[in-house]
Amino acid sequence: MIYFQPELYWNMGGGTIEQIMDNGATEILEVKFNRMDLPLLVGVKLGPVRLNIGPVGSYVINENNEESTADFDYELYVDAMNWGWQGGIGLDLTKLSLDVRYEGSLSDLSDSLPDELSGYNMDPRPSQWIISLGYWFK
């Protein structure tokens, strides 16, 4: 009835940063990361329904921002493990499995930022909904 579900994901993600120039103009910059996510979920199974929650650690493997003009040291993310949480519900129907989870952040890398970026929450993990569909080969 109670289960432990560790997982490992390769995640290609990113987003945008709004950079404000000295002259007051703004520029939207694309930021791309590759990271490994390790959710460690604990759950309860009630018939075909599963409820789970747990921490998720993320380690940024690299960044791919060759086209970005941002004057920013992305190595801050590459060398830092950050933590979040996931919670959700799953449904197992014969050989199909459907999961819906919400992921939120627990890490704040603001303390590691240069002075000119202080006050910004620069966590590379977005708050997001995750929907997955699986097939059991058994």
Side-chain angles (χ1 to χ4, degrees):
M1 194 164 136
I2 294 176
Y3 64 91
F4 175 63
Q5 182 175 326
E7 300 174 346
L8 183 63
Y9 296 106
W10 175 266
N11 188 333
M12 295 170 48
T16 58
I17 295 175
E18 182 177 339
Q19 184 177 30
I20 301 172
M21 310 293 195
D22 291 336
N23 63 3
T26 61
E27 182 179 4
I28 303 298
L29 306 169
E30 291 287 327
V31 179
K32 297 177 184 173
F33 294 98
N34 293 316
R35 69 179 195 217
M36 296 295 290
D37 291 344
L38 176 65
L40 303 171
L41 304 173
V42 174
V44 62
K45 188 168 173 72
L46 306 167
V49 176
R50 291 175 286 108
L51 301 171
N52 53 46
I53 193 165
V56 56
S58 293
Y59 188 79
V60 176
I61 304 298
N62 63 19
E63 48 82 18
N64 182 9
N65 296 292
E66 290 88 18
E67 298 174 15
S68 177
T69 57
D71 183 21
F72 182 73
D73 182 11
Y74 293 100
E75 293 300 316
L76 168 70
Y77 295 124
V78 175
D79 295 328
M81 172 71 94
N82 61 80
W83 292 94
W85 62 274
Q86 286 185 1
I89 187 168
L91 181 63
D92 295 329
L93 299 171
T94 60
K95 291 188 171 233
L96 291 177
S97 179
L98 175 66
D99 282 273
V100 177
R101 297 183 198 157
Y102 183 77
E103 181 176 309
S105 180
L106 296 174
S107 294
D108 181 1
L109 300 178
S110 298
D111 294 340
S112 305
L113 293 174
D115 289 339
E116 64 270 13
L117 296 174
S118 65
Y120 292 95
N121 181 354
M122 299 293 285
D123 185 358
R125 169 184 283 108
S127 297
Q128 61 187 350
W129 285 96
I130 302 167
I131 300 171
S132 64
L133 179 64
Y135 180 81
W136 293 91
F137 294 98
K138 57 178 175 175

